[in-house]
Amino acid sequence: MRYFDLFDLPVQFDVDLLTLQDRFRSIQKQVHPDKFANGSDQQKLLAVQQASEVNDAYETLKSPLNRAEYMVAEHGHDVKHEQETIKDGAFLMQQMELREELEDLESSNDPEQALDVFYSDIKKLIKLYTDEFNVNFDKQEYKLAAMSVKKLRFIYKLKSEAEALEDKLLDY
Amino acid sequence: MAYSEKVIDHYENPRNVGSFDKNDPSIATGMVGAPACGDVMKLQLKIDDKGIISDAKFKTYGCGSAIASSSLVTEWVKGKSIEEAQALSNTEIAEELALPPVKIHCSILAEDAIKAAIEDYKSKSSN
């Protein structure tokens, strides 16, 4: 089952999240295992499987990174299980520097202000590589699109590390 | 997931963390990243004029296994020739640290970091 088909959405990166959520909820109701409480064991099992597949589909399409990853996976580029390392020196150097910057940020004079600036830099990078992904995907350059997804993975990881630091800062 | 004792030891007491000046002609820098998890690793080798690695430093942003793999290779490559270092394989790293299958990519990252550094050395010395 193709995730986009399940929710009757076109296969494209830009997804209307409200539509996705509405359709998810209505499908969820149809396949909810409680509906089969009086059914046979086989029906119950099937309902559980379907419900879990619908959940996976929703979680995948809801997250921009997972959605992009799914889109290139459909064209044979499995980024999630990619073992080959990336060696783009300039990109990696920038990633290393951003991580160092985040590390130093905590001890800066105004960490919250510094974190705001940091977030806006991350946002720009996310936009840069998301746009690059879209252009490559539209041109059916799936290998290049997969490379954009790989780069996005590093940036989203950095974002979650910045969020962890924010939680820590707000804690005291 | 439980880490092996060796991973924990390297993670808690990482060897040779830090940086050399990458513009120093005797310093080779290898940068690699793992797309599946977003880990970034920098490995730097100090190579003398006989082609022997006299010192090594690393900086890794990643999980315990990635840090342990890079810490381990900085210990292993010291005193080795470029050819010997080039021959180090990820399976040796994974075995030494008893990495589970899901963490094999961390040892691949460390192996590729050595290879990337040696490539950097070769391109520097050919100039």
mmCIF file of all heavy atoms in Angstrom, chain B residues 34-81:
data_model
loop_
_atom_site.group_PDB
_atom_site.id
_atom_site.type_symbol
_atom_site.label_atom_id
_atom_site.label_comp_id
_atom_site.label_asym_id
_atom_site.label_seq_id
_atom_site.Cartn_x
_atom_site.Cartn_y
_atom_site.Cartn_z
ATOM 1 N N ALA B 34 27.494 9.865 8.827
ATOM 2 C CA ALA B 34 26.626 8.701 8.630
ATOM 3 C C ALA B 34 25.205 9.176 8.333
ATOM 4 O O ALA B 34 24.555 9.730 9.219
ATOM 5 C CB ALA B 34 26.639 7.814 9.865
ATOM 6 N N PRO B 35 24.730 8.990 7.088
ATOM 7 C CA PRO B 35 23.417 9.522 6.723
ATOM 8 C C PRO B 35 22.246 8.867 7.459
ATOM 9 O O PRO B 35 21.198 9.487 7.614
ATOM 10 C CB PRO B 35 23.327 9.271 5.218
ATOM 11 C CG PRO B 35 24.309 8.201 4.951
ATOM 12 C CD PRO B 35 25.396 8.334 5.972
ATOM 13 N N ALA B 36 22.428 7.634 7.940
ATOM 14 C CA ALA B 36 21.306 6.964 8.600
ATOM 15 C C ALA B 36 21.009 7.575 9.968
ATOM 16 O O ALA B 36 19.874 7.534 10.437
ATOM 17 C CB ALA B 36 21.583 5.470 8.734
ATOM 18 N N CYS B 37 22.035 8.143 10.616
ATOM 19 C CA CYS B 37 21.797 8.658 11.965
ATOM 20 C C CYS B 37 22.229 10.107 12.151
ATOM 21 O O CYS B 37 21.907 10.729 13.158
ATOM 22 C CB CYS B 37 22.504 7.781 13.000
ATOM 23 S SG CYS B 37 24.268 7.662 12.721
ATOM 24 N N GLY B 38 22.973 10.662 11.192
ATOM 25 C CA GLY B 38 23.378 12.066 11.309
ATOM 26 C C GLY B 38 24.611 12.288 12.169
ATOM 27 O O GLY B 38 24.883 13.410 12.594
ATOM 28 N N ASP B 39 25.381 11.231 12.429
ATOM 29 C CA ASP B 39 26.624 11.383 13.194
ATOM 30 C C ASP B 39 27.715 12.001 12.311
ATOM 31 O O ASP B 39 27.808 11.684 11.128
ATOM 32 C CB ASP B 39 27.126 10.015 13.687
ATOM 33 C CG ASP B 39 26.280 9.467 14.819
ATOM 34 O OD1 ASP B 39 25.327 10.155 15.225
ATOM 35 O OD2 ASP B 39 26.574 8.354 15.291
ATOM 36 N N VAL B 40 28.533 12.853 12.930
ATOM 37 C CA VAL B 40 29.618 13.496 12.198
ATOM 38 C C VAL B 40 30.938 13.170 12.907
ATOM 39 O O VAL B 40 31.021 13.255 14.126
ATOM 40 C CB VAL B 40 29.454 15.031 12.153
ATOM 41 C CG1 VAL B 40 30.457 15.650 11.186
ATOM 42 C CG2 VAL B 40 28.048 15.427 11.753
ATOM 43 N N MET B 41 31.949 12.824 12.126
ATOM 44 C CA MET B 41 33.238 12.434 12.702
ATOM 45 C C MET B 41 34.377 13.135 11.989
ATOM 46 O O MET B 41 34.410 13.183 10.765
ATOM 47 C CB MET B 41 33.397 10.908 12.553
ATOM 48 C CG MET B 41 34.622 10.313 13.224
ATOM 49 S SD MET B 41 34.684 8.507 12.973
ATOM 50 C CE MET B 41 33.380 7.914 14.040
ATOM 51 N N LYS B 42 35.302 13.687 12.799
ATOM 52 C CA LYS B 42 36.523 14.266 12.225
ATOM 53 C C LYS B 42 37.705 13.531 12.828
ATOM 54 O O LYS B 42 37.827 13.437 14.047
ATOM 55 C CB LYS B 42 36.608 15.759 12.550
ATOM 56 C CG LYS B 42 37.884 16.408 12.004
ATOM 57 C CD LYS B 42 37.885 17.922 12.185
ATOM 58 C CE LYS B 42 38.267 18.285 13.615
ATOM 59 N NZ LYS B 42 38.398 19.748 13.800
ATOM 60 N N LEU B 43 38.568 13.001 11.963
ATOM 61 C CA LEU B 43 39.766 12.308 12.421
ATOM 62 C C LEU B 43 40.977 13.004 11.815
ATOM 63 O O LEU B 43 41.015 13.249 10.606
ATOM 64 C CB LEU B 43 39.722 10.843 11.977
ATOM 65 C CG LEU B 43 40.952 10.000 12.350
ATOM 66 C CD1 LEU B 43 41.005 9.725 13.846
ATOM 67 C CD2 LEU B 43 40.950 8.690 11.584
ATOM 68 N N GLN B 44 41.943 13.344 12.660
ATOM 69 C CA GLN B 44 43.147 13.995 12.151
ATOM 70 C C GLN B 44 44.377 13.175 12.504
ATOM 71 O O GLN B 44 44.514 12.695 13.629
ATOM 72 C CB GLN B 44 43.270 15.407 12.732
ATOM 73 C CG GLN B 44 42.182 16.332 12.208
ATOM 74 C CD GLN B 44 42.400 17.769 12.666
ATOM 75 O OE1 GLN B 44 42.439 18.027 13.860
ATOM 76 N NE2 GLN B 44 42.542 18.679 11.720
ATOM 77 N N LEU B 45 45.264 13.026 11.523
ATOM 78 C CA LEU B 45 46.486 12.259 11.727
ATOM 79 C C LEU B 45 47.675 13.180 11.539
ATOM 80 O O LEU B 45 47.697 13.995 10.619
ATOM 81 C CB LEU B 45 46.573 11.118 10.696
ATOM 82 C CG LEU B 45 45.365 10.180 10.578
ATOM 83 C CD1 LEU B 45 45.567 9.205 9.421
ATOM 84 C CD2 LEU B 45 45.123 9.430 11.885
ATOM 85 N N LYS B 46 48.661 13.024 12.427
ATOM 86 C CA LYS B 46 49.929 13.731 12.262
ATOM 87 C C LYS B 46 50.897 12.724 11.661
ATOM 88 O O LYS B 46 51.153 11.678 12.250
ATOM 89 C CB LYS B 46 50.426 14.236 13.614
ATOM 90 C CG LYS B 46 51.579 15.207 13.523
ATOM 91 C CD LYS B 46 51.905 15.750 14.912
ATOM 92 C CE LYS B 46 53.136 16.629 14.916
ATOM 93 N NZ LYS B 46 52.999 17.827 14.049
ATOM 94 N N ILE B 47 51.371 13.037 10.463
ATOM 95 C CA ILE B 47 52.182 12.066 9.730
ATOM 96 C C ILE B 47 53.596 12.622 9.528
ATOM 97 O O ILE B 47 53.751 13.737 9.004
ATOM 98 C CB ILE B 47 51.510 11.736 8.368
ATOM 99 C CG1 ILE B 47 50.110 11.159 8.631
ATOM 100 C CG2 ILE B 47 52.352 10.752 7.561
ATOM 101 C CD1 ILE B 47 49.243 10.984 7.408
ATOM 102 N N ASP B 48 54.610 11.851 9.954
ATOM 103 C CA ASP B 48 55.980 12.353 9.815
ATOM 104 C C ASP B 48 56.506 12.129 8.395
ATOM 105 O O ASP B 48 55.823 11.530 7.560
ATOM 106 C CB ASP B 48 56.899 11.758 10.904
ATOM 107 C CG ASP B 48 57.170 10.269 10.698
ATOM 108 O OD1 ASP B 48 56.925 9.758 9.585
ATOM 109 O OD2 ASP B 48 57.620 9.624 11.658
ATOM 110 N N ASP B 49 57.745 12.605 8.138
ATOM 111 C CA ASP B 49 58.231 12.553 6.750
ATOM 112 C C ASP B 49 58.548 11.134 6.277
ATOM 113 O O ASP B 49 58.793 10.905 5.101
ATOM 114 C CB ASP B 49 59.431 13.504 6.548
ATOM 115 C CG ASP B 49 60.452 13.380 7.670
ATOM 116 O OD1 ASP B 49 60.400 12.347 8.386
ATOM 117 O OD2 ASP B 49 61.269 14.299 7.845
ATOM 118 N N LYS B 50 58.519 10.151 7.210
ATOM 119 C CA LYS B 50 58.713 8.758 6.774
ATOM 120 C C LYS B 50 57.373 8.066 6.529
ATOM 121 O O LYS B 50 57.317 6.866 6.255
ATOM 122 C CB LYS B 50 59.505 7.989 7.836
ATOM 123 C CG LYS B 50 60.937 8.478 7.976
ATOM 124 C CD LYS B 50 61.678 7.635 9.009
ATOM 125 C CE LYS B 50 63.033 8.234 9.346
ATOM 126 N NZ LYS B 50 62.905 9.491 10.163
ATOM 127 N N GLY B 51 56.288 8.832 6.645
ATOM 128 C CA GLY B 51 54.978 8.241 6.404
ATOM 129 C C GLY B 51 54.444 7.451 7.587
ATOM 130 O O GLY B 51 53.597 6.562 7.432
ATOM 131 N N ILE B 52 54.968 7.767 8.791
ATOM 132 C CA ILE B 52 54.481 7.090 10.000
ATOM 133 C C ILE B 52 53.547 8.050 10.752
ATOM 134 O O ILE B 52 53.822 9.248 10.872
ATOM 135 C CB ILE B 52 55.657 6.696 10.931
ATOM 136 C CG1 ILE B 52 56.661 5.804 10.202
ATOM 137 C CG2 ILE B 52 55.144 6.015 12.211
ATOM 138 C CD1 ILE B 52 56.133 4.443 9.782
ATOM 139 N N ILE B 53 52.443 7.493 11.244
ATOM 140 C CA ILE B 53 51.480 8.308 11.993
ATOM 141 C C ILE B 53 51.998 8.475 13.423
ATOM 142 O O ILE B 53 52.065 7.504 14.177
ATOM 143 C CB ILE B 53 50.084 7.642 11.974
ATOM 144 C CG1 ILE B 53 49.581 7.558 10.524
ATOM 145 C CG2 ILE B 53 49.097 8.422 12.844
ATOM 146 C CD1 ILE B 53 48.430 6.597 10.321
ATOM 147 N N SER B 54 52.374 9.697 13.777
ATOM 148 C CA SER B 54 52.965 9.900 15.105
ATOM 149 C C SER B 54 51.917 10.301 16.133
ATOM 150 O O SER B 54 52.107 10.107 17.332
ATOM 151 C CB SER B 54 54.066 10.953 15.034
ATOM 152 O OG SER B 54 53.528 12.175 14.585
ATOM 153 N N ASP B 55 50.801 10.864 15.679
ATOM 154 C CA ASP B 55 49.763 11.272 16.629
ATOM 155 C C ASP B 55 48.410 11.301 15.909
ATOM 156 O O ASP B 55 48.353 11.372 14.679
ATOM 157 C CB ASP B 55 50.091 12.668 17.190
ATOM 158 C CG ASP B 55 49.466 12.886 18.577
ATOM 159 O OD1 ASP B 55 48.704 12.007 19.042
ATOM 160 O OD2 ASP B 55 49.742 13.942 19.178
ATOM 161 N N ALA B 56 47.340 11.257 16.689
ATOM 162 C CA ALA B 56 45.996 11.288 16.092
ATOM 163 C C ALA B 56 45.033 11.947 17.067
ATOM 164 O O ALA B 56 45.183 11.816 18.286
ATOM 165 C CB ALA B 56 45.538 9.865 15.783
ATOM 166 N N LYS B 57 44.088 12.679 16.529
ATOM 167 C CA LYS B 57 43.043 13.281 17.345
ATOM 168 C C LYS B 57 41.697 13.132 16.644
ATOM 169 O O LYS B 57 41.625 13.030 15.425
ATOM 170 C CB LYS B 57 43.333 14.772 17.581
ATOM 171 C CG LYS B 57 44.404 15.025 18.635
ATOM 172 C CD LYS B 57 44.379 16.474 19.050
ATOM 173 C CE LYS B 57 45.581 16.880 19.904
ATOM 174 N NZ LYS B 57 45.656 16.153 21.178
ATOM 175 N N PHE B 58 40.642 13.146 17.440
ATOM 176 C CA PHE B 58 39.321 13.047 16.818
ATOM 177 C C PHE B 58 38.325 13.948 17.519
ATOM 178 O O PHE B 58 38.510 14.378 18.654
ATOM 179 C CB PHE B 58 38.808 11.590 16.860
ATOM 180 C CG PHE B 58 38.154 11.197 18.162
ATOM 181 C CD1 PHE B 58 36.761 11.303 18.308
ATOM 182 C CD2 PHE B 58 38.895 10.746 19.236
ATOM 183 C CE1 PHE B 58 36.146 10.936 19.518
ATOM 184 C CE2 PHE B 58 38.288 10.377 20.432
ATOM 185 C CZ PHE B 58 36.907 10.476 20.576
ATOM 186 N N LYS B 59 37.270 14.235 16.786
ATOM 187 C CA LYS B 59 36.117 14.914 17.355
ATOM 188 C C LYS B 59 34.891 14.281 16.712
ATOM 189 O O LYS B 59 34.776 14.253 15.486
ATOM 190 C CB LYS B 59 36.186 16.407 17.038
ATOM 191 C CG LYS B 59 35.312 17.218 17.962
ATOM 192 C CD LYS B 59 35.797 18.655 18.080
ATOM 193 C CE LYS B 59 35.045 19.336 19.192
ATOM 194 N NZ LYS B 59 35.330 20.759 19.275
ATOM 195 N N THR B 60 34.013 13.737 17.523
ATOM 196 C CA THR B 60 32.846 13.045 16.984
ATOM 197 C C THR B 60 31.577 13.537 17.676
ATOM 198 O O THR B 60 31.536 13.628 18.901
ATOM 199 C CB THR B 60 32.990 11.519 17.195
ATOM 200 O OG1 THR B 60 34.063 11.047 16.388
ATOM 201 C CG2 THR B 60 31.716 10.778 16.798
ATOM 202 N N TYR B 61 30.601 13.883 16.865
ATOM 203 C CA TYR B 61 29.271 14.178 17.400
ATOM 204 C C TYR B 61 28.384 13.012 17.015
ATOM 205 O O TYR B 61 28.034 12.854 15.854
ATOM 206 C CB TYR B 61 28.740 15.491 16.828
ATOM 207 C CG TYR B 61 29.483 16.690 17.370
ATOM 208 C CD1 TYR B 61 30.539 17.259 16.662
ATOM 209 C CD2 TYR B 61 29.153 17.232 18.608
ATOM 210 C CE1 TYR B 61 31.241 18.348 17.167
ATOM 211 C CE2 TYR B 61 29.848 18.320 19.118
ATOM 212 C CZ TYR B 61 30.886 18.870 18.397
ATOM 213 O OH TYR B 61 31.579 19.935 18.909
ATOM 214 N N GLY B 62 28.075 12.184 18.001
ATOM 215 C CA GLY B 62 27.286 11.008 17.687
ATOM 216 C C GLY B 62 27.050 10.174 18.927
ATOM 217 O O GLY B 62 27.273 10.627 20.051
ATOM 218 N N CYS B 63 26.619 8.943 18.696
ATOM 219 C CA CYS B 63 26.270 8.072 19.814
ATOM 220 C C CYS B 63 27.526 7.494 20.462
ATOM 221 O O CYS B 63 28.642 7.675 19.961
ATOM 222 C CB CYS B 63 25.387 6.938 19.310
ATOM 223 S SG CYS B 63 26.264 5.841 18.185
ATOM 224 N N GLY B 64 27.353 6.772 21.547
ATOM 225 C CA GLY B 64 28.465 6.160 22.272
ATOM 226 C C GLY B 64 29.339 5.278 21.393
ATOM 227 O O GLY B 64 30.565 5.321 21.487
ATOM 228 N N SER B 65 28.715 4.508 20.512
ATOM 229 C CA SER B 65 29.486 3.596 19.665
ATOM 230 C C SER B 65 30.346 4.358 18.660
ATOM 231 O O SER B 65 31.452 3.929 18.335
ATOM 232 C CB SER B 65 28.558 2.666 18.892
ATOM 233 O OG SER B 65 27.741 1.956 19.773
ATOM 234 N N ALA B 66 29.828 5.480 18.166
ATOM 235 C CA ALA B 66 30.596 6.278 17.200
ATOM 236 C C ALA B 66 31.786 6.923 17.900
ATOM 237 O O ALA B 66 32.896 6.966 17.351
ATOM 238 C CB ALA B 66 29.706 7.345 16.564
ATOM 239 N N ILE B 67 31.568 7.403 19.113
ATOM 240 C CA ILE B 67 32.663 8.013 19.881
ATOM 241 C C ILE B 67 33.710 6.947 20.223
ATOM 242 O O ILE B 67 34.909 7.158 20.030
ATOM 243 C CB ILE B 67 32.103 8.708 21.151
ATOM 244 C CG1 ILE B 67 31.324 9.957 20.724
ATOM 245 C CG2 ILE B 67 33.224 9.066 22.129
ATOM 246 C CD1 ILE B 67 30.467 10.578 21.805
ATOM 247 N N ALA B 68 33.239 5.780 20.681
ATOM 248 C CA ALA B 68 34.171 4.708 21.031
ATOM 249 C C ALA B 68 34.965 4.243 19.811
ATOM 250 O O ALA B 68 36.174 4.030 19.898
ATOM 251 C CB ALA B 68 33.405 3.535 21.649
ATOM 252 N N SER B 69 34.299 4.120 18.652
ATOM 253 C CA SER B 69 34.994 3.673 17.440
ATOM 254 C C SER B 69 36.094 4.651 17.054
ATOM 255 O O SER B 69 37.204 4.241 16.693
ATOM 256 C CB SER B 69 34.015 3.537 16.262
ATOM 257 O OG SER B 69 33.048 2.562 16.542
ATOM 258 N N SER B 70 35.798 5.956 17.142
ATOM 259 C CA SER B 70 36.830 6.913 16.740
ATOM 260 C C SER B 70 37.941 6.997 17.778
ATOM 261 O O SER B 70 39.115 7.105 17.430
ATOM 262 C CB SER B 70 36.234 8.289 16.426
ATOM 263 O OG SER B 70 35.111 8.571 17.214
ATOM 264 N N SER B 71 37.583 6.905 19.062
ATOM 265 C CA SER B 71 38.600 6.909 20.116
ATOM 266 C C SER B 71 39.552 5.723 19.935
ATOM 267 O O SER B 71 40.772 5.874 19.995
ATOM 268 C CB SER B 71 37.898 6.848 21.480
ATOM 269 O OG SER B 71 38.808 6.634 22.516
ATOM 270 N N LEU B 72 38.963 4.570 19.678
ATOM 271 C CA LEU B 72 39.771 3.360 19.483
ATOM 272 C C LEU B 72 40.741 3.509 18.308
ATOM 273 O O LEU B 72 41.926 3.177 18.431
ATOM 274 C CB LEU B 72 38.846 2.157 19.250
ATOM 275 C CG LEU B 72 39.529 0.820 18.956
ATOM 276 C CD1 LEU B 72 40.224 0.280 20.205
ATOM 277 C CD2 LEU B 72 38.525 -0.212 18.444
ATOM 278 N N VAL B 73 40.254 4.016 17.175
ATOM 279 C CA VAL B 73 41.155 4.087 16.016
ATOM 280 C C VAL B 73 42.292 5.093 16.230
ATOM 281 O O VAL B 73 43.390 4.880 15.721
ATOM 282 C CB VAL B 73 40.454 4.343 14.654
ATOM 283 C CG1 VAL B 73 39.487 3.239 14.314
ATOM 284 C CG2 VAL B 73 39.813 5.686 14.571
ATOM 285 N N THR B 74 42.069 6.138 17.021
ATOM 286 C CA THR B 74 43.193 7.053 17.271
ATOM 287 C C THR B 74 44.302 6.315 18.032
ATOM 288 O O THR B 74 45.483 6.576 17.812
ATOM 289 C CB THR B 74 42.787 8.299 18.098
ATOM 290 O OG1 THR B 74 42.202 7.895 19.338
ATOM 291 C CG2 THR B 74 41.814 9.190 17.337
ATOM 292 N N GLU B 75 43.918 5.375 18.900
ATOM 293 C CA GLU B 75 44.935 4.585 19.612
ATOM 294 C C GLU B 75 45.612 3.607 18.662
ATOM 295 O O GLU B 75 46.819 3.427 18.714
ATOM 296 C CB GLU B 75 44.270 3.787 20.746
ATOM 297 C CG GLU B 75 43.935 4.620 21.952
ATOM 298 C CD GLU B 75 43.640 3.746 23.170
ATOM 299 O OE1 GLU B 75 42.944 2.726 22.987
ATOM 300 O OE2 GLU B 75 44.098 4.100 24.268
ATOM 301 N N TRP B 76 44.823 2.998 17.833
ATOM 302 C CA TRP B 76 45.354 1.960 16.942
ATOM 303 C C TRP B 76 46.314 2.502 15.886
ATOM 304 O O TRP B 76 47.272 1.844 15.534
ATOM 305 C CB TRP B 76 44.188 1.227 16.241
ATOM 306 C CG TRP B 76 43.650 0.097 17.056
ATOM 307 C CD1 TRP B 76 44.066 -0.274 18.302
ATOM 308 C CD2 TRP B 76 42.611 -0.813 16.681
ATOM 309 N NE1 TRP B 76 43.340 -1.355 18.740
ATOM 310 C CE2 TRP B 76 42.436 -1.715 17.764
ATOM 311 C CE3 TRP B 76 41.805 -0.954 15.553
ATOM 312 C CZ2 TRP B 76 41.496 -2.737 17.735
ATOM 313 C CZ3 TRP B 76 40.863 -1.973 15.520
ATOM 314 C CH2 TRP B 76 40.710 -2.860 16.610
ATOM 315 N N VAL B 77 46.007 3.661 15.338
ATOM 316 C CA VAL B 77 46.809 4.126 14.184
ATOM 317 C C VAL B 77 48.158 4.705 14.598
ATOM 318 O O VAL B 77 49.072 4.783 13.781
ATOM 319 C CB VAL B 77 46.072 5.164 13.303
ATOM 320 C CG1 VAL B 77 44.850 4.556 12.637
ATOM 321 C CG2 VAL B 77 45.696 6.403 14.100
ATOM 322 N N LYS B 78 48.293 5.087 15.862
ATOM 323 C CA LYS B 78 49.557 5.690 16.302
ATOM 324 C C LYS B 78 50.713 4.714 16.136
ATOM 325 O O LYS B 78 50.636 3.580 16.595
ATOM 326 C CB LYS B 78 49.458 6.141 17.760
ATOM 327 C CG LYS B 78 48.862 7.512 17.906
ATOM 328 C CD LYS B 78 49.069 8.028 19.327
ATOM 329 C CE LYS B 78 47.943 8.956 19.697
ATOM 330 N NZ LYS B 78 48.061 9.450 21.073
ATOM 331 N N GLY B 79 51.782 5.175 15.475
ATOM 332 C CA GLY B 79 52.950 4.325 15.258
ATOM 333 C C GLY B 79 52.853 3.483 13.996
ATOM 334 O O GLY B 79 53.808 2.817 13.607
ATOM 335 N N LYS B 80 51.670 3.516 13.358
ATOM 336 C CA LYS B 80 51.496 2.718 12.139
ATOM 337 C C LYS B 80 51.898 3.520 10.899
ATOM 338 O O LYS B 80 51.845 4.754 10.906
ATOM 339 C CB LYS B 80 50.027 2.289 12.003
ATOM 340 C CG LYS B 80 49.625 1.149 12.918
ATOM 341 C CD LYS B 80 48.292 0.545 12.437
ATOM 342 C CE LYS B 80 48.060 -0.841 13.021
ATOM 343 N NZ LYS B 80 47.923 -0.882 14.476
ATOM 344 N N SER B 81 52.263 2.788 9.857
ATOM 345 C CA SER B 81 52.507 3.451 8.575
ATOM 346 C C SER B 81 51.157 3.731 7.920
ATOM 347 O O SER B 81 50.130 3.166 8.324
ATOM 348 C CB SER B 81 53.339 2.548 7.668
ATOM 349 O OG SER B 81 52.553 1.423 7.296
#
